Amino acid sequence: MPKPPEIVDVNFVAPRHLAGGGDPSWVTVPLHRACGWSYGHDPLMPRVILSSPDQRALLRLEPDPDGQWWTLHHAHQPDRPAWYASFGARTPVEIIAAFTDTLTSPAADPADDWDPLEPLQKSGWSPAHSHNRLASADGTIRVEVNETTGCWWVGAALDRTGPPLWQARFGEHTPPHLITAFTSTDRPQPGAAYGHRHQPPHPGPGSHHRHAAGSPRRARRLRLEERVHALAARRASTPASPSPLRRSPAKNTRSR
């Protein structure tokens, strides 16, 4: 079998939500090596299952042609009922990582007065049909909060009228600071920097693709190692100051 090339192409894609799925190890490896999540081994099943050290959270990555590939279930806690989050196959791993990094951060502030819509409003997203729905300026991604159930839905598409490229869903009791971490990550993203990208078949009108010079495969491995070490070091670091994206409970958008 021929050896893989030592130099790989790097595609830069903006906006980030159209960058494609990427390498799942950007999420799974740090969870295991830096955060102590354990995994089972079943060589006959094409899936990954990771459990948090306290056994309250379970992350399942499983190819499903009819549903979400990533699913995280969290058991109930004294101050919060059980909750879940799920992500489609083409959800960029860096956006999923923002969610899991905040979940595992010892410095995270889990208070309920976070407003996940605020970073989108500050980025120029506009209301779509109601105050609990926002859409990006190019219309390729939108966020909706169900006023009855309190659940969140995020959908990305190649254009305003096209079918969903990927979806993310957050259950009613998902901690708002985790959803805020997810909605705060839409910035230009190097497409292949962290692994092979499953690129959208056709770039949307709001996307920008730039084919850059080759990058050593070893550099990609080093970036993952740096990420693992950085997350492992958080346990000994001083808790971070509260984010300026906080808002008062009276303005919480999770209406019923």
Side-chain angles (χ1 to χ4, degrees):
M1 180 179 296
K3 293 182 179 180
E6 290 300 319
I7 301 295
V8 294
D9 291 334
V10 178
N11 296 310
F12 290 83
V13 182
R16 174 179 292 213
H17 56 264
L18 297 181
D23 186 351
S25 65
W26 192 250
V27 176
T28 58
V29 169
L31 281 177
H32 173 59
R33 292 176 50 194
C35 305
W37 287 46
S38 58
Y39 65 91
H41 179 62
D42 186 348
L44 301 181
M45 295 295 294
R47 66 185 180 190
V48 176
I49 299 177
L50 290 167
S51 301
S52 62
D54 61 8
Q55 299 298 302
R56 288 185 172 179
L58 182 71
L59 176 66
R60 180 188 296 266
L61 170 57
E62 186 170 16
D64 182 353
D66 299 318
Q68 304 287 81
W69 282 37
W70 300 80
T71 305
L72 193 151
H73 289 278
H74 198 288
H76 73 277
Q77 298 171 274
D79 60 342
R80 188 180 303 278
W83 56 269
Y84 76 90
S86 67
F87 312 96
R90 289 193 174 94
T91 310
V93 291
E94 296 82 14
I95 302 183
I96 300 175
F99 186 92
T100 57
D101 288 356
T102 305
L103 171 65
T104 56
S105 172
D109 179 3
D112 280 339
D113 56 341
W114 291 83
D115 181 3
L117 296 180
E118 185 174 5
L120 304 179
Q121 293 167 334
K122 288 185 173 182
S123 296
W125 288 40
S126 57
H129 307 299
S130 76
H131 69 284
N132 273 349
R133 297 182 184 180
L134 289 178
S136 61
D138 61 6
T140 59
I141 185 169
R142 61 188 178 94
V143 174
E144 178 178 343
V145 188
N146 189 302
E147 299 183 16
T148 301
T149 65
C151 297
W152 290 71
W153 177 88
V154 183
L158 296 178
D159 54 57
R160 296 176 184 271
T161 60
L165 182 65
W166 58 263
Q167 298 180 19
R169 303 166 189 164
F170 303 103
E172 175 185 2
H173 301 292
T174 305
H177 75 291
L178 300 182
I179 307 177
T180 303
F182 185 87
T183 60
S184 300
T185 56
D186 188 28
R187 294 184 296 276
Q189 179 58 43
Y194 310 124
H196 175 67
R197 287 283 173 178
H198 302 286
Q199 295 288 1
H202 301 288
S207 64
H208 172 69
H209 295 249
R210 178 169 64 88
H211 187 265
S215 173
R217 183 177 297 274
R218 181 172 177 270
R220 293 162 51 193
R221 295 195 296 265
L222 289 176
R223 291 181 71 98
L224 179 57
E225 287 298 317
E226 291 171 356
R227 170 167 158 73
V228 169
H229 290 314
L231 292 181
R234 296 182 309 180
R235 299 180 181 180
S237 64
T238 303
S241 300
S243 167
L245 293 174
R246 293 282 300 279
R247 295 181 68 179
S248 64
K251 295 183 180 180
N252 194 341
T253 60
R254 299 185 70 186
S255 59
R256 299 292 188 271

